[in-house]
Structures are given as structure tokens and as C-alpha cells.
Amino acid sequence: MWQWLKRLYHRLGSPKWFYEISARWIPWLVVLSAVGAVTGIVWGLAYAPADYLQGNSFRIIYIHVPAAILAQSAYMMMAVAGAIYLIWRMKMAAWVAKCIAPIGASFCLIALLTGAIWGKPTWGTWWVWDARLTSMLMLLFLYFGVMALQQAMESEDSSFRAGAILALVGVVNIPIIKYSVEWWNTLHQPATLKLTEKPSMDPAMLWPLLIMIVTTYAFFALLVILRTRNEILWHERKRQWVRELLEK
Amino acid sequence: MHPLRKKRLTLILFMVAAVGTAVGLAMYSLSENVNLFQTPTEIANGEVPPGRTIRAGGLVVEGSVVRDDDGLGVTFYVTDGNAEVPIFYEGILPDLFREGQGIVALGQLDTSGRFVASEVLAKHDENYMPPEVKEALEKAHLDGKEAMSEASY
């Protein structure tokens, strides 16, 4: 198992190998994202029952929760890729981190916007400076900071390193986001989906949410792979294999 | 692992741990200020001086909501299961404002210990269910209560 992981790791470091193998993953991810999005959205918006208290406005959860979960996972992935670049100097890791940053930031922005739209009719306000909302806003600014640093310096290598260091420093914000609703009094409610307990949501409403979460991950993977492939072609444009590919 | 990489890995782990500790300590010392609202217990214990603008939060006590005959004034009690604080608010309450539901109010304590709010926000809990399930739950709860009171005769 360890040997296999090690081999996979070394292979992933090769841009050419990744470019070739990822071409095979794309159709699956496209199908999964499309089917999942149609199923999840139609089920969530049309067939799931309305909430006893919020009525139909709760349905924004089908966008808000997947986007918020993804914004945090993407950040962790970006930080891990940054660490790999810092330690092993693997170029692929830096490119992946660069590709993840704007996508993660977009999902973070979606989570913040949908939360505000839901907050107005539910809480009575668009925004409140409670711990959950503020830490989520900090995540967005961390993304912006990483994106800026990744392009800040003359040499690409030092820019990527600076971005990776900020990404790693910002990791401390992730547990703060997760536990903010438990450590402090917040307006935002505690988590509905829990890893260790039964979710506090009716199964009829839960299924489309789970589908939307899986779909969002698939869509995210698709976006990262597409962007990384572009990045590979650009950086390897003078290499023999890319030239051969382009001449074909 | 190559010694240089090992060194870099240690350095990164150390950096993350150091930043984590620093932020953790800062958060711990700020924890009172990070709280969005004060609980009725804290207010009842006199931890909040009258006249200072704070947020108070808790569950609206069942049956405590009294609306003024003229105007939009409304008085209700909030509780955290331990202490109760009366809140007066003049304005339109959010749609989700219900007895038994959580709220967060912004305002000041007056000298009589009443909290005069200028803004009331409804807090939503983490439970989502269709109306039928809610009714069934309430029914089961009531049946249980009746069974209990019958049993006690």
C-alpha cells in the first residue's frame, strides 16, 4: 500500500503523466457533475418538502452548505499542495495550488452571498459580525492574499513559495470556522451535518443535500483538472511532448 | 527522507504549530469579545452595566409575549434555562420570531433591569424538517405528557 502510494506520488509529480491520465478522468467527472447537479437541484427545489419554520427559503441550503464545505476543503488542499511544493519542490504541486486558489475563493464567495440572502428573511439581517460569518470572511481574504502572493514576485518560484507559506499559516482559520459555532455564541446555527451523530435534518431533505455535496466535489475536481492541464501546457510548452501534442 | 526535506517539513510543522498556538491564545483571551451575545444568566448576574449597548440572546419564553394595545411595542422574556430577562422592542419582529425560538437582541439595559432593544434578530437552530414531521413530533410529545399526567393520578 505504502509503496503504491509512493509510486502514485512520484507519478503525479510528472506533468506529462498527469496530462495523459487526467484526460481519461474528465468525461467521468463531466457526467457525474451534470447528472448530480440536475438530480440534486430538481430534487432539492421541487420534491424535497418545505421546512416547518422557514418554508421554502431553506432550499438555499442546497447551494450554501456544499459551497461552504468545498471552500474549506479546497483551502486545505491548497495548503497541502503548498507544503508539498515547499518540501519536495514539486512543480506540479505549485501549479495545482495556483489553480485551486481562485476556484476556492469563488465557492467561498458563493457561500457568503447565499448565506446573506438566506439571513435577510430568516434572521432579519444580511450580515452580523458573529464568529462564524467573520471567520468565513477571513477565509475569503486569505484566498485573495494567496492569489496575490502567487503572482507577486519576479520569479515564479518565490511567488509560489510565498503563497504556500500564507496558505499554511491560514490553515489555523479552518478549525476556527468549524468550531466557531460551538466555542462562542453566534447567530449562525450549529452544524446540521455531523460526522459522528445523526444529522438533524429529515431524510427527505437530506438526500438532495448529500447529492449536491458530492456533485460539488466532482465539479471542483473537474475545474481543477482543466485548469491544471492548461497550466501544464503553458509551462511545458517548450518540451518535446507538448510540441508533438500540438502538432497532432 | 532526504535530510533537507526533513528539515523543511519540520520547519513547516513548527510554523503551523506556532501560528496555531499564537492565534489560539489570542482567541482564548478575546473569547468574551468574540461572543456575539450575552446570555440571560450573565445579565441577571449583573455582569452588564445599564446603558451599555450589548446583544442579548436566548429562547423566547413560552406565553411571555405581550403586545402593546397601541403601536408596535412588544415585551417578552428570554431565557437560557437558568435566568430570564424581560426585553422590550418597538418595531417589526422578524418572521421567524416565535415563542420557544432563539433570538438575539441589540440594545441596552435600563435601570429597572429591562432590556430595551433597538433590533431583534431571529436565531435559527440546526433542525430541518417538513411540517408533517413537526406536527407528529409535537403530537407524540403531547401524548407523552398526557400519559405522564394520567399516570401520576
Side-chain angles (χ1 to χ4, degrees), chain A residues 5 9 14 18 45 56 60 66-67 72 90 97 102 119 135 138 142-143 157 168 171 177 188 227 235:
Chain A
L5 275 179
Y9 178 76
S14 146
F18 180 84
L45 295 190
N56 281 323
I60 206 163
Q72 295 169 70
M90 188 199 272
S135 55
M138 272 162 63
L142 278 168
Y143 270 123
D157 171 62
L168 281 163
V171 164
I177 296 177
H188 194 287
R227 284 177 62 91
H235 281 97

Side-chain angles (χ1 to χ4, degrees), chain A residues 199-212:
Chain A
S200 45
M201 189 179 210
D202 196 82
M205 301 158 141
L206 184 65
W207 276 109
L209 180 60
L210 296 179
I211 292 176
M212 285 306 285

Side-chain angles (χ1 to χ4, degrees), chain A residues 16-18 27 30 42 79 94 102-103 108 130 135 174 186-187 204 210:
Chain A
K16 182 168 180 275
W17 183 82
F18 180 84
V30 170
V42 171
I103 305 173
C108 191
D130 83 347
S135 55
I174 297 292
T186 53
L187 189 62
L210 296 179

Side-chain angles (χ1 to χ4, degrees), chain A residues 25-186:
Chain A
W25 299 338
I26 290 172
W28 293 103
L29 288 170
V30 170
V31 170
L32 188 58
S33 314
V35 172
V38 171
T39 323
I41 289 174
V42 171
W43 190 348
L45 295 190
Y47 293 98
D51 184 63
Y52 76 102
L53 199 57
Q54 308 171 49
N56 281 323
S57 70
F58 98 94
R59 293 183 200 274
I60 206 163
I61 200 175
Y62 296 119
I63 305 289
H64 177 74
V65 168
I69 292 178
L70 203 93
Q72 295 169 70
S73 306
Y75 192 89
M76 286 309 293
M77 291 180 214
M78 185 175 76
V80 169
I84 290 174
Y85 184 65
L86 287 176
I87 297 166
W88 285 276
R89 292 282 185 270
M90 188 199 272
K91 282 177 297 176
M92 272 292 291
W95 301 343
V96 167
K98 186 187 166 193
C99 294
I100 290 178
I103 305 173
S106 314
F107 279 106
C108 191
L109 194 65
I110 291 174
L112 286 167
L113 290 178
T114 51
I117 293 168
W118 177 83
K120 185 65 187 167
T122 315
W123 295 335
T125 180
W126 300 101
W127 183 264
V128 61
W129 293 99
D130 83 347
R132 169 58 72 84
L133 275 64
T134 310
S135 55
M136 205 61 193
L137 188 65
M138 272 162 63
L139 184 71
L140 182 66
F141 289 143
L142 278 168
Y143 270 123
F144 288 161
V146 171
M147 282 160 71
L149 279 180
Q150 282 170 343
Q151 298 159 21
M153 281 162 245
E154 288 276 308
S155 98
E156 204 162 48
D157 171 62
S158 29
S159 310
F160 284 150
R161 269 192 283 169
I165 288 174
L166 179 62
L168 281 163
V169 168
V171 164
V172 70
N173 192 31
I174 297 292
I176 293 180
I177 296 177
K178 175 150 175 44
Y179 292 107
S180 55
V181 288
E182 292 170 29
W183 289 342
W184 300 294
N185 298 332
T186 53

Side-chain angles (χ1 to χ4, degrees), chain B residues 4-58:
Chain B
L4 182 66
R5 290 173 185 163
K6 207 169 213 163
K7 202 178 123 199
R8 287 192 205 131
L9 177 65
T10 332
L11 211 68
I12 287 174
L13 289 178
F14 180 74
M15 180 182 81
V16 172
V19 173
T21 319
V23 174
L25 286 173
M27 283 295 182
Y28 181 73
S29 66
L30 285 173
S31 60
E32 277 308 300
N33 300 321
V34 177
N35 281 330
L36 182 72
F37 55 86
Q38 315 280 311
T39 59
T41 309
E42 286 166 342
I43 296 172
N45 286 347
E47 286 174 31
V48 180
R52 182 191 289 176
T53 303
I54 56 149
R55 284 183 199 270

